Amino acid sequence: AAGLPTKRIGKRIICLEETDSTNNVTFRLAEEGTAEGTVVIADAQSRGKGRLGRSWASPKGVNLYCSVVLRPSMPPVAASQLTFLSVVAVARAIELSTSLKAWIKWPNDILINGRKIAGLLNEMSAETEKVNFVVLGIGININMRQEQFPTDLRHPASSLYIESGAELDRNRFIRTLLKELDDLYDVYLQRGYGPVREEWLSRSQLYGRKARIDCQDRTMTGIIRGIDDMGALLLDLDGREERILSGDVTLL
Ligand code: BTN
């Protein structure tokens, strides 16, 4: 497809009818040296990957499955900042394209009316001190119908169509998303993580809220103070600050 008039992201766009996972294709292209900003979009994925080894339902022709190559000069520990950046771009694109309110759930889910609409899976190639490239993998349920979800996902997962009652033009949505990603990445390169963190926090509705965090080995209740540079959630437990690297958040 023709590239977009952006600064970096989407200057080269590769559209595939079907692939195993756009992240896999994009990772290989990045290893072969494809330019920063290259985007791979597939109409269907036969082995869409989710976080924690889960699979990502990827039926044909209804949703968005795409991956983007970034080549930032940064140490690998800072790469989670790009996950926050892409989550903010997805939330913006949803709100620009529908009248829905998109809510960010830490670390990187997008919820509408409490149901998951989109997920991010970023993969990285790095040496100890520096990132070679990052592949941002973005999956957004756009026009998917209720009956197309695997039965165990029907309740927690949803699509923009189900929540808004209207079909969306996928091509237009993709252009909006890539433009927002491009804008945010430019701000990030010029001004650092601060503006991204601020917008992430305001869209997460987490700041200052009382929450319960279920971690693997324990459960904590406290006030959320923010996220740090590594993406950890900062929880105030009666004046003592706890950094939480992974867990499930429930607002109280
Ligand atoms: C999650 O578990 O929430 C993350 C889901 C990420 C899905 C997207 S779809 C495009 C890209 N290719 C993949 O195989 N996964 C990501």
Side-chain angles (χ1 to χ4, degrees), residues 101-141:
K101 170 79 189 121
W103 186 75
I104 298 176
K105 184 163 187 275
W106 178 82
N108 57 2
D109 290 347
I110 301 268
L111 306 184
I112 292 176
N113 301 323
R115 299 165 90 196
K116 178 162 166 169
I117 295 279
L120 274 288
L121 179 69
N122 293 351
E123 299 183 70
M124 161 169 75
S125 155
E127 286 149 41
T128 11
E129 295 296 320
K130 81 177 224 312
V131 166
N132 296 324
F133 62 81
V134 175
V135 170
L136 304 180
I138 305 176
I140 306 178
N141 298 336

Side-chain angles (χ1 to χ4, degrees), residues 61-63 93-100 140-145 159-162 164-174 176:
V62 285
N63 292 335
I94 290 174
E95 294 185 357
L96 287 168
S97 310
T98 68
S99 52
L100 299 166
I140 306 178
N141 298 336
I142 297 188
N143 293 323
M144 198 168 172
R145 304 300 203 257
S159 71
L160 295 176
Y161 170 80
I162 294 168
S164 72
E167 284 230 8
L168 234 70
D169 179 333
R170 284 188 303 147
N171 286 328
R172 238 166 89 185
F173 185 88
I174 292 164
T176 306

Side-chain angles (χ1 to χ4, degrees), residues 21-23 45 47-51 56 65-67 109 116 119-121 137-139:
S21 150
T22 57
N23 268 26
Q45 298 184 119
R47 303 184 64 130
K49 298 189 285 187
R51 285 195 307 137
W56 184 257
Y65 318 112
C66 76
S67 305
D109 290 347
K116 178 162 166 169
L120 274 288
L121 179 69
I138 305 176

